[in-house]
Amino acid sequence: LLVNATTRRDPESNIVGVVGVAQDVTVASMHDRAVKSMAQELRQLIDKANAPIFGIDVDGKVNEWNDKTAEITGYSREEALDKPLVSTFIVPQLRQSVQDVLDRALKGAETSNYELEFRTKTNEVRYLLVNATTRRDPESNIVGVVGVAQDVTVASMHDRAVKSMAQELRQLIDKANAPIFGIDVDGKVNEWNDKTAEITGYSREEALDKPLVSTFIVPQLRQSVQDVLDRALKGAETSNYELEFRTKTNEVRYLLVNATT
């Protein structure tokens, strides 16, 4: 019951009791308690979630920072709250793009699977895959953005290592002091390093997608070279096979080739 307690007096104004005028708010009170319980449960779910969850208000300041985010970044909730998210926690080279994502979310345009890099308290970088979701009040006014993330640091570092290795191998191939060339399953050139270009006089751009045998091999050796390539395409590799390349200036260059699948 919601009660107003009023003093009761006799004709001489002596207090003789109290009168309570009440309103039965059982249903509303039960509803309020249910809402409060749900809010507490949601708060616990956010705080204890096994994924980093963080949020900002309309000014870009942190107003949500769960336990997992604190664990990953090294910054406690108390240290993070009210700090500008982008300038405090995002690596400099990504600040503008992250700000753009947040600005769009603050206008109602949400973003999924956006990779950002958090700078931790120990100056390490953690890679997070984030869904940026618009946060609204009960009247549907936009009041901020919530990011639900997945820590992909290990996978991202692995991908970067593979990419770095691929770039290094590409450089080794391109700059090798031996001619390296390759074909696809249709016999068309898909690899043509600098040394091959130097020897033949054909640039990489001129050679790519051309049929190797009919374009660059002297006529009398085309069938035997085709046989070597066909065997390699079936997994039977050939070592120290001598072939004759026809150069752009119509000269012949003799190459000793290992044909590798």
Side-chain angles (χ1 to χ4, degrees):
L1 300 182
L2 195 63
V3 178
N4 288 341
T6 306
T7 304
R8 192 170 193 175
R9 298 174 184 273
D10 65 14
E12 285 75 36
S13 293
N14 299 309
I15 295 173
V16 294
V18 176
V19 173
V21 180
Q23 179 185 357
D24 186 353
V25 292
T26 303
V27 174
S29 183
M30 289 176 67
H31 175 265
D32 289 346
R33 283 174 168 77
V35 169
K36 185 177 179 181
S37 175
M38 186 182 296
Q40 289 173 333
E41 187 175 349
L42 288 173
R43 164 53 51 201
Q44 189 172 27
L45 284 172
I46 290 172
D47 286 345
K48 303 302 179 185
N50 199 34
I53 300 174
F54 53 91
I56 59 166
D57 59 22
V58 291
D59 297 318
K61 293 182 178 179
V62 174
N63 60 3
E64 190 68 72
W65 195 264
N66 77 340
D67 294 353
K68 195 67 176 179
T69 309
E71 176 191 325
I72 287 172
T73 64
Y75 291 98
S76 68
R77 176 180 172 84
E78 291 70 28
E79 289 175 306
L81 287 180
D82 293 324
K83 298 289 193 306
L85 176 73
V86 173
S87 61
T88 308
F89 303 107
I90 305 300
V91 296
Q93 64 270 24
L94 287 184
R95 285 175 185 167
Q96 187 56 56
S97 61
V98 172
Q99 188 63 59
D100 291 342
V101 167
L102 296 176
D103 287 344
R104 287 197 296 272
L106 286 169
K107 293 175 182 176
E110 301 177 347
T111 300
S112 298
N113 297 326
Y114 178 79
E115 185 173 292
L116 57 78
E117 300 174 24
F118 257 76
R119 179 71 67 186
T120 71
K121 197 172 184 178
T122 55
N123 212 33
E124 297 175 279
V125 173
R126 299 302 291 261
Y127 300 92
L128 302 182
L129 200 62
V130 178
N131 289 346
T133 306
T134 304
R135 195 171 197 172
R136 299 175 184 270
D137 66 14
E139 286 73 45
S140 291
N141 300 308
I142 293 173
V143 294
V145 177
V146 174
V148 180
Q150 179 184 356
D151 186 357
V152 293
T153 302
V154 174
S156 186
M157 289 176 71
H158 175 264
D159 290 346
R160 281 168 170 76
V162 170
K163 184 178 179 181
S164 175
M165 186 181 296
Q167 289 172 334
E168 186 176 349
L169 287 172
R170 163 55 49 203
Q171 189 172 28
L172 286 171
I173 290 171
D174 286 344
K175 303 303 179 184
N177 200 33
I180 300 174
F181 54 90
I183 60 166
D184 60 20
V185 292
D186 297 317
K188 293 181 178 180
V189 174
N190 59 6
E191 191 66 72
W192 196 263
N193 77 338
D194 295 352
K195 196 67 177 179
T196 310
E198 177 190 324
I199 288 173
T200 64
Y202 291 99
S203 69
R204 177 179 172 85
E205 290 69 28
E206 290 175 305
L208 286 180
D209 294 323
K210 299 289 192 306
L212 177 73
V213 174
S214 61
T215 308
F216 303 107
I217 305 302
V218 295
Q220 64 269 26
L221 287 183
R222 285 176 184 167
Q223 188 55 55
S224 61
V225 172
Q226 188 63 60
D227 291 343
V228 167
L229 297 177
D230 287 344
R231 287 198 298 273
L233 286 170
K234 294 175 182 177
E237 301 175 348
T238 300
S239 299
N240 298 324
Y241 178 80
E242 186 175 290
L243 57 77
E244 301 174 25
F245 257 79
R246 179 72 66 185
T247 71
K248 197 171 184 179
T249 56
N250 212 32
E251 297 175 276
V252 174
R253 299 300 294 265
Y254 299 90
L255 301 182
L256 199 61
V257 176
N258 289 342
T260 306
T261 304

